[in-house]
Amino acid sequence: PMLNVGGKPILQTIVEKFVSYGFINIIMCVGYKSNIIQDYFGDGSKFGANIEYVLEDKRMGTAGALSLLNETQLPKEPFFVMNGDLLTNVNFESMLNFHIQNNAKATMCVREYDFKVPYGVVNIEKGQIKSIVEKPLHKFFVSAGIYMLDTSCINMIPKNEFYDMPTLFEKMIKNNDNTISFLIREYWLDIGHLSEYERANKDINSIND
C-alpha cells in the first residue's frame, strides 16, 4: 500500500479517490509496519479526510478486521471495504447507488477475467476422443477486492479470528441474503507482483484522468 506509484503511495491515491466522491470518513485496518502508514496519513486532514485506525495484532482477513471496530467507529449506513493495494477508476458513487437501489445486503465488485488455454483441449468420454478444441478462451468473473456492506454484516463476523470476505459472502448466500455483483468496466489493477507494480507506474496517468 505504501509503494510509490506516480510519485505517491498507492494508498494515498485510494484515499484521494474516495475524498473526490465525498467519502471522507476512512478507517484503515493496519498491521505489519503500521507505524509507516500512521505516520504518513496521521488524522487524514492534509488529504481532506478523517482517518482513524484499527490495529491488527494478528492476521485477521479482510472481513475479520471489521470485528475490531470500536463503538464509535461502527458505521451507521452502508460502507465500503477495499484492499489497500488496488488502483482503479471505479465510480464509488455509482456503486453506492447500485447497492441501495437493489436493496442489497452486500455488493461485490467483480471483473471479467479471460484465460486462454495454450493447448488443444481434448474432450474424452470412456477413453474415446469426442472433440478437440484448439486453444479455447474461458471467461470468468473474479472478485475485484472492493465491497459495499450493510451495517448488519458486521454482526455476522466472528470476534478476534481470521475471517476473509469470501467466507462472509458464502455465509450470506447460505442465509439467502441479497448479495449482488457490481461489474467494473473502468481501469482496475491489483498490485500483487513486481510486474503489476511496473505496469501501474506506466498506467498512472490514466488513473488520474
Side-chain angles (χ1 to χ4, degrees):
M2 295 304 290
L3 284 174
N4 276 1
V5 173
K8 58 187 174 185
I10 299 164
L11 193 52
Q12 182 179 338
T13 298
I14 292 173
V15 168
E16 289 171 350
K17 282 289 179 185
F18 274 114
V19 170
S20 72
Y21 283 100
F23 303 115
I24 63 171
N25 296 316
I26 296 171
I27 297 173
M28 294 185 181
C29 299
V30 295
Y32 179 65
K33 292 191 175 181
S34 58
N35 59 301
I36 296 174
I37 294 174
Q38 290 175 285
D39 290 346
Y40 186 88
F41 287 97
D43 63 2
S45 55
K46 65 181 178 180
F47 303 100
N50 304 315
I51 297 178
E52 296 183 46
Y53 301 91
V54 166
L55 184 61
E56 300 177 38
D57 57 9
K58 62 181 180 181
R59 210 166 147 259
M60 297 291 292
T62 311
L66 300 175
S67 73
L68 301 178
L69 297 175
N70 63 40
E71 286 296 323
T72 61
Q73 293 172 329
L74 288 173
K76 297 177 175 60
E77 53 194 342
F79 62 99
F80 295 97
V81 180
M82 179 172 174
N83 296 348
D85 56 357
L86 302 176
L87 285 179
T88 181
N89 270 340
V90 64
N91 187 314
F92 293 118
E93 186 176 11
S94 293
M95 184 179 175
L96 171 62
N97 292 337
F98 184 78
H99 177 88
I100 293 172
Q101 288 166 5
N102 286 278
N103 195 30
K105 185 159 186 175
T107 301
M108 175 188 292
C109 282
V110 298
R111 288 278 294 174
E112 191 174 86
Y113 179 79
D114 299 342
F115 174 73
K116 187 171 187 177
V117 179
Y119 309 103
V121 173
V122 182
N123 296 312
I124 300 172
E125 288 182 20
K126 297 179 179 178
Q128 296 292 309
I129 296 174
K130 295 297 183 181
S131 66
I132 302 172
V133 182
E134 189 63 30
K135 298 179 180 178
L137 181 68
H138 297 280
K139 294 178 180 288
F140 305 92
F141 287 110
V142 298
S143 172
I146 308 168
Y147 315 90
M148 171 144 270
L149 303 178
D150 186 77
T151 55
S152 61
C153 293
I154 296 177
N155 297 326
M156 304 177 71
I157 301 169
K159 297 285 187 182
N160 201 36
E161 67 178 69
F162 182 89
Y163 207 73
D164 223 338
M165 197 60 77
T167 309
L168 177 60
F169 269 79
E170 287 166 1
K171 187 174 186 178
M172 286 188 279
I173 291 165
K174 287 180 181 177
N175 289 345
N176 292 318
D177 292 324
N178 188 19
T179 56
I180 64 174
S181 62
F182 182 76
L183 180 61
I184 296 180
R185 294 184 176 87
E186 299 90 346
Y187 180 90
W188 177 91
L189 183 64
D190 180 355
I191 305 171
H193 299 91
L194 182 58
S195 59
E196 283 128 7
Y197 178 59
E198 292 169 345
R199 179 181 161 192
N201 275 290
K202 293 177 183 175
D203 292 348
I204 189 63
N205 290 333
S206 65
I207 299 293
N208 293 328
D209 289 344

